[in-house]
Amino acid sequence: MTETGPVEMLHAAFPDTIQDVQTFRGDVTVVVDAAQIAKVCTHCRDTKGLDYNFLSDVTGIDYFPQEPRFGVAYHLYSMIHNHSLRLKVLLPGDAPEVQSVTPVFPAANWQEREIFDLLGITFTGHPDLRRILMPQGWDGHPLRKDYPLGYETVQFSFNYDDVDKHKPYAKE
Amino acid sequence: MTIMESRWEGNLEELRGLVSDRAMTGETMVLNMGPQHPSTHGVLRLMLELDGETIINCVPDIGYLHTGIEKNMEAKKYEQAITMTDRTDYLNPMGNNFAFCLAIEKLIDLDVPIRAQYLRVILAELTRINSHLVWLGTHALDIGAMSVFLYCFREREKLLDIFEIVSGQRMMSTYFRPGGLWRDVPDEFEPAVRDFLGYFPAKIDDYEKLLSNNPLWLDRTQGIGFISTEDAIRLGCSGPTLRGSDVNWDIRKALPYSSYDHFEFDVPLGKHGDVYDRYVIRMEEMRQSLHIVQQALDRLPGGPTRSNNRKYVPPPRAELGQSMEAVIHHFKLWTEGFRPPKGEVYVRLESPRGELGCFLASDGSPRPWRVRFRTPSFVHLSVLPHMSQGYMIADLVGIIGSIDIVLGDCDR
């Protein structure tokens, strides 16, 4: 299945927004400007010939220690043309923030909350951005690569405060 | 109004935006349901805003079963991580293995022998029946039909026996591996499945006799939990929940994987988008699954059940005594694991509940960089408020049953 048609259509509509197009094992990834993601999604949904009417999944990825550190991938699917497309935005490690696509695809609501919860990416314009899997008072974002898994760093007197800062317990 | 043991610390201000303003003045009641409620299918907590018995707002609170499976998988080698997938959706263990293995196979472009593909289809469909049996039993139990539950679990034992025959485990099978299956099925497998194929159709008829025309069942399921075609697509429904609203989208048909295009089966559709239609669809899906299993078993080809690509698949035990190369591959695979190329893939398959997606990112190391399961329960639960608004509180358990959630699948 070639995906050149939709990608060319996107290129024509957003010449400056599309930063990169990658194809790997038949999966087409279109990297777009983070500031334009809601606009691109609306275009993908409403344009005849694209008709991506179904948002399967929104995923966050932490590329630590690379910069830009975070990626958010949107897996779109068109039930009309049986096409899939992955849109991706790259976000800086410092205060990552991206537009919410929940107004365009309401299916993104909880998935964006999950990314906010586990990766600490803020979605502006989200109607109800709260933690969803972790307790409301949790400190830190567990899916980040610098968040420890299961074990904790041993605290000595010389690094007590330093370690305490990123210790994974709920702070009151 | 009291809010007991709230994770919102009982602060009314924090509820603003989640419930209507009428709750602030005490005009409507905010009621807690769960997480230890027998009809929420696990540890689901709902915060309900009620006007009398009518649901004004329903705010699900999840995460009680969050075990960090995705994070844990990042720390494990690919072969080790498969065992984690069983534990997400515990009613569909083979289906989760399936999704993860398909993602790995897509990532490294690994071939799967045709016999393994057919056996995977057989086992995935039996798992679907297994999952639907638990769904039917608990759904009926929620609505008040006790005996259906007992019958469903009786039939389910036969399926669990089949899983035990192939993998040695009743539930956490970890039978699917990258490139095929753990081992070929033993001789007892085929007679056991044929026995089930002969035994089960009459049982589906029995369930339908108990329920389909039962006036109580009709009263409790028809015309509630309605979701329109447009809303179902917009809100991300998939599987029987989507097809109940008359959308013909089955991933087995639309994007066939693992030779599903070799088999004939129908995709049942509903017209009304209510709880009853979703029930009818799942009942028919069980019959179609039997039909697929019958075809796959009749046409089951011979040959290997695992890929011959030694860089990713360990050699058979018999080779280890004779071939130095096999010993080296074995050693490398069990100490270091395999290294897929750098890249990101997304696969989707039709789980009993809907679209199960697996996003897998590799950085070229023996451990996955990021694994993400797009689970149908998670998305369907986010649709629950939309489905339940305006209905009676007594209908809520029926609506929860009809979207067939598994909290392990939802919270991961």
Side-chain angles (χ1 to χ4, degrees):
Chain A
M1 184 168 53
T2 59
E3 297 271 358
T4 45
V7 172
E8 278 161 9
M9 284 177 72
L10 271 180
H11 251 306
F14 298 99
D16 306 325
T17 307
I18 295 177
Q19 295 168 344
D20 194 10
V21 178
Q22 302 150 359
T23 309
F24 179 72
R25 306 275 187 243
D27 281 11
V28 180
T29 310
V30 178
V31 183
V32 300
D33 186 359
Q36 301 288 323
I37 183 67
K39 221 174 178 183
V40 175
C41 279
T42 315
H43 183 81
C44 284
R45 186 191 62 181
D46 295 338
T47 310
K48 214 166 166 48
L50 292 173
D51 297 309
Y52 289 101
N53 57 349
F54 188 75
L55 178 76
S56 279
D57 183 35
V58 186
T59 309
I61 315 136
D62 182 3
Y63 294 109
F64 183 78
Q66 280 176 42
E67 195 61 42
R69 176 172 166 180
F70 293 105
V72 180
Y74 303 80
H75 295 97
L76 304 182
Y77 177 76
S78 161
M79 288 185 186
I80 295 147
H81 305 294
N82 204 9
H83 280 174
S84 310
L85 179 72
R86 181 186 303 137
L87 297 176
K88 198 161 135 186
V89 297
L90 295 170
L91 305 170
D94 188 34
E97 199 179 89
V98 67
Q99 278 178 321
S100 166
V101 300
T102 306
V104 190
F105 292 109
N109 187 333
W110 277 26
Q111 314 205 25
E112 287 182 341
R113 275 178 69 186
E114 185 186 326
I115 298 168
F116 165 74
D117 184 2
L118 300 181
L119 282 163
I121 296 170
T122 310
F123 291 87
T124 52
H126 190 285
D128 178 27
L129 200 62
R130 287 178 295 131
R131 282 187 185 271
I132 185 164
L133 292 174
M134 306 303 283
Q136 299 297 327
W138 196 262
D139 194 35
H141 303 285
L143 264 184
R144 287 194 174 186
K145 287 286 177 184
D146 50 3
Y147 189 94
L149 175 97
Y151 60 87
E152 289 171 29
T153 330
V154 183
Q155 282 169 307
F156 296 102
S157 53
F158 73 91
N159 64 358
Y160 189 92
D161 295 331
D162 212 30
V163 174
D164 196 60
K165 254 186 271 171
H166 47 87
K167 254 194 137 175
Y169 56 77
K171 297 200 168 88
E172 291 302 320
Chain B
M1 187 186 96
T2 53
I3 300 153
M4 291 169 64
E5 206 219 330
S6 170
R7 283 165 76 193
W8 282 280
E9 311 293 326
N11 185 342
L12 205 58
E13 272 310 305
E14 286 178 43
L15 297 179
R16 197 178 285 283
L18 299 176
V19 293
S20 75
D21 286 341
R22 291 165 66 199
M24 299 293 156
T25 58
E27 195 184 336
T28 55
M29 184 170 73
V30 179
L31 184 76
N32 181 58
M33 177 171 169
Q36 286 88 14
H37 190 286
S39 294
T40 54
H41 295 233
V43 279
L44 166 67
R45 175 170 173 245
L46 299 170
M47 204 178 63
L48 304 170
E49 185 193 349
L50 303 170
D51 182 2
E53 280 191 69
T54 309
I55 300 167
I56 308 284
N57 267 311
C58 164
V59 185
D61 181 20
I62 61 168
Y64 290 93
L65 211 56
H66 178 59
T67 44
I69 282 177
E70 288 171 1
K71 177 87 174 171
N72 266 313
M73 285 172 84
E74 289 173 7
K76 290 184 165 26
K77 283 174 257 179
Y78 285 90
E79 286 247 357
Q80 293 173 321
I82 302 172
T83 54
M84 309 290 299
T85 63
D86 291 304
R87 282 140 182 94
T88 56
D89 183 350
Y90 41 78
L91 294 181
N92 180 31
M94 298 247 193
N96 290 325
N97 293 168
F98 205 171
F100 189 53
C101 288
L102 282 176
I104 297 175
E105 283 149 14
K106 187 170 176 183
L107 188 64
I108 55 190
D109 208 9
L110 188 61
D111 63 298
V112 181
I114 190 79
R115 181 179 170 81
Q117 294 189 15
Y118 273 47
L119 284 170
R120 281 178 172 192
V121 167
I122 294 174
L123 288 164
E125 291 307 315
L126 291 177
T127 313
R128 186 182 314 278
I129 296 173
N130 166 37
S131 169
H132 280 4
L133 280 174
V134 177
W135 156 78
L136 179 65
T138 52
H139 188 32
L141 189 66
D142 288 347
I143 295 183
M146 181 84 194
S147 42
V148 181
F149 178 76
L150 301 172
Y151 295 141
C152 286
F153 272 65
R154 180 183 67 191
E155 268 71 85
R156 181 170 178 251
E157 277 307 300
K158 290 199 179 289
L159 286 170
L160 294 180
D161 286 346
I162 293 174
F163 299 153
E164 192 175 352
I165 287 172
V166 296
S167 71
Q169 290 280 334
R170 284 154 51 85
M171 288 180 77
M172 302 300 152
S173 47
T174 321
Y175 186 57
F176 295 15
R177 302 290 167 90
L181 301 166
W182 170 49
R183 58 168 193 183
D184 202 351
V185 289
D187 294 340
E188 300 85 33
F189 174 72
E190 200 177 318
V193 178
R194 287 206 188 277
D195 181 45
F196 183 77
L197 286 174
Y199 165 86
F200 192 57
K203 301 295 169 195
I204 305 180
D205 296 342
D206 282 353
Y207 306 147
E208 293 200 323
K209 251 180 243 164
L210 280 169
L211 296 174
S212 291
N213 295 312
N214 182 331
L216 280 177
W217 181 259
L218 295 177
D219 273 357
R220 294 295 306 274
T221 56
Q222 276 182 333
I224 64 163
F226 170 75
I227 185 160
S228 70
T229 306
E230 295 75 36
D231 284 346
I233 296 175
R234 221 163 47 87
L235 293 164
C237 294
S238 52
T241 314
L242 180 67
R243 293 193 285 273
S245 298
D246 201 17
V247 183
N248 189 355
W249 188 56
D250 186 320
I251 298 166
R252 292 174 295 174
K253 287 270 191 203
L255 304 157
Y257 50 94
S258 190
S259 314
Y260 263 109
D261 46 343
H262 295 191
F263 309 113
E264 267 178 33
F265 59 98
D266 296 332
V267 179
L269 294 179
K271 282 267 171 295
H272 309 102
D274 62 358
V275 173
Y276 184 75
D277 275 17
R278 299 197 270 276
Y279 153 78
V280 172
I281 285 174
R282 290 205 178 89
M283 297 305 276
E284 183 55 30
E285 271 193 4
M286 287 203 266
R287 290 205 179 84
Q288 295 302 328
S289 292
L290 286 178
H291 189 44
I292 298 172
V293 172
Q294 181 81 55
Q295 294 173 59
L297 204 58
D298 289 344
R299 289 193 253 142
L300 187 63
T305 50
R306 212 159 170 196
S307 162
N308 217 16
N309 189 337
R310 291 278 171 267
K311 297 295 169 207
Y312 298 102
V313 177
R317 192 108 207 131
E319 269 181 36
L320 291 182
Q322 296 155 13
S323 157
M324 190 60 213
E325 213 166 279
V327 177
I328 295 169
H329 280 136
H330 180 87
F331 180 76
K332 285 288 270 183
L333 283 170
W334 292 122
T335 52
E336 191 185 304
F338 54 77
R339 290 170 181 275
K342 200 171 170 206
E344 291 170 3
V345 293
Y346 182 78
V347 295
R348 39 165 79 83
L349 56 80
E350 186 77 20
S351 98
R353 272 157 274 289
E355 177 188 342
L356 176 64
C358 181
F359 174 81
L360 187 57
S362 157
D363 65 335
S365 76
R367 291 174 170 81
W369 182 255
R370 171 86 168 99
V371 190
R372 147 90 181 165
F373 281 98
R374 182 268 189 214
T375 54
S377 301
F378 185 77
V379 180
H380 287 155
L381 203 51
S382 72
V383 185
L384 181 67
H386 180 88
M387 275 185 191
S388 56
Q389 272 163 14
Y391 296 100
M392 294 290 180
I393 186 168
D395 293 333
L396 186 63
V397 287
I399 299 171
I400 295 172
S402 80
I403 54 174
D404 190 17
I405 47 161
V406 167
L407 266 294
D409 190 36
C410 177
D411 291 353
R412 282 154 285 135

